[in-house]
Amino acid sequence: MLAGQPIVPTKAEWRLCESLHLCEEESESLLVAMRRGNAARQAVVFSPRAPQGYEPPFACAESSHFSWLPARVRIPAEGESPTQHADYAAGMYYVLDLSSCWEGAALSALAEAPIRSLDMCAAPGGKSVLLAAQFELRDHIANEVHAARRGILRQNIELCGLPNTRITGLRPDQWGKSGDLFELILVDAPCSGQSLLCKGIKNPGCLGKAVVQGNAKRQRGILLSALHCLAPGGYLLYSTCTYSLEEDERAVAYILRRASGVSACDVPALAAYRSKLAEFPAYRLLPHHGAGAGGFCCLLQRKKTNS
Ligand SMILES: C[S@@+](CC[C@H](N)C(=O)[O-])C[C@H]1O[C@@H](n2cnc3c(N)ncnc32)[C@H](O)[C@@H]1O
């Protein structure tokens, strides 16, 4: 791509921009980010090992632009390499894309701290660390169905010193039948990963219909299983790192149609990112927002039973 030349979208890119109802300027900026792969933006999440008042040993960027940023998260200044410091090796902080932190910021809408929490798709562990940065973990499960990814999950959980945390490897349908109930479930779902393109990571086929539909089907199954183990009054945070409507708003719309007593919650901290593609509160981040490669999140809540 040469500077100054208009971008000619492929059919799949054009279909994506159309389906998201992006204006010309937004489409252009999404396509540029996907082609250049330079929209990644790092954040560091303080782990439970970092004491109150901790500040990392490198310069951080002004974060007042991101009012939703959780208190124990910082954005390294340009040129800084947070993984080069001894504090990183000591597990004082975990490095995550800023858009993952944006998704986790939806937890600010929880009415109370969860007692039992389940991170259903946990490896390599970023969302569990982010949860621990916002709430005291009291009884947490970091679950990863793929055995090959459980090792890195265990390593990160141990390095970051997450308290009261067990690691499991059940499938979502096994959780659904387990009879366990959680006040908070994180479903950071496997997805087509379209935002990887904006981080400069090759992901061939991620815009293709078959890949998107396959992921959308899997996500619906995971969400339905997760709802089976959501306690009355409990929350489920659904997030993806992809842009497609089918895997984001439509996946949630399907769940809201299928499951009774479940609703999508307002997240005041993310109001500026409210999706126009859903009638319920759901939130969308795109590269032009300047907070990383982008993502989607929606906070669901099961109705409290009358007692
Ligand atoms: C987006 S990644 C999770 C990232 C993680 N939450 C973090 O913040 O570090 C999705 C995870 O879902 C797992 N996964 C893949 N297929 C799955 C399935 N059918 N059910 C549940 N999890 C699955 C993947 O192995 C992967 O670890």
Side-chain angles (χ1 to χ4, degrees), residues 47 67 84 92 136 140 150 164 180 187 201 252 259 281 300 307:
S47 80
S67 55
Q84 311 267 297
M92 296 289 235
E136 185 193 340
H140 181 63
R150 242 173 271 144
N164 307 318
D180 286 331
V187 175
I201 300 170
V252 178
L300 299 171
S307 53

Side-chain angles (χ1 to χ4, degrees), residues 161-184:
L162 263 53
N164 307 318
T165 299
R166 282 174 289 150
I167 292 171
T168 59
L170 297 188
R171 295 189 312 268
D173 63 295
Q174 292 174 309
W175 277 114
K177 291 179 202 138
S178 67
D180 286 331
L181 288 179
F182 299 90
E183 284 80 38
L184 174 66

Side-chain angles (χ1 to χ4, degrees), residues 64-87:
S64 57
H65 180 54
F66 305 117
S67 55
W68 43 265
L69 204 67
R72 284 172 65 85
V73 179
R74 298 285 182 279
I75 304 170
E78 228 174 290
E80 294 287 358
S81 306
T83 55
Q84 311 267 297
H85 295 266
D87 277 11

Side-chain angles (χ1 to χ4, degrees), residues 94 119 121-127 144-146 149 172 188-190 218 222:
Y94 185 89
D119 185 352
C121 313
K127 288 288 190 315
E144 171 54 49
V145 71
H146 289 301
R149 288 172 61 80
D188 191 25
R218 177 165 60 171
I222 295 174

Side-chain angles (χ1 to χ4, degrees), residues 35-100:
R35 302 275 179 98
R36 293 201 180 136
N38 60 356
R41 192 146 184 206
Q42 278 186 333
V44 298
V45 181
F46 300 170
S47 80
R49 292 200 191 282
Q52 281 305 319
Y54 174 80
E55 287 301 333
F58 46 82
C60 291
E62 177 55 56
S63 55
S64 57
H65 180 54
F66 305 117
S67 55
W68 43 265
L69 204 67
R72 284 172 65 85
V73 179
R74 298 285 182 279
I75 304 170
E78 228 174 290
E80 294 287 358
S81 306
T83 55
Q84 311 267 297
H85 295 266
D87 277 11
Y88 174 70
M92 296 289 235
Y93 52 81
Y94 185 89
V95 179
L96 209 53
D97 189 68
L98 185 55
S99 33
S100 290

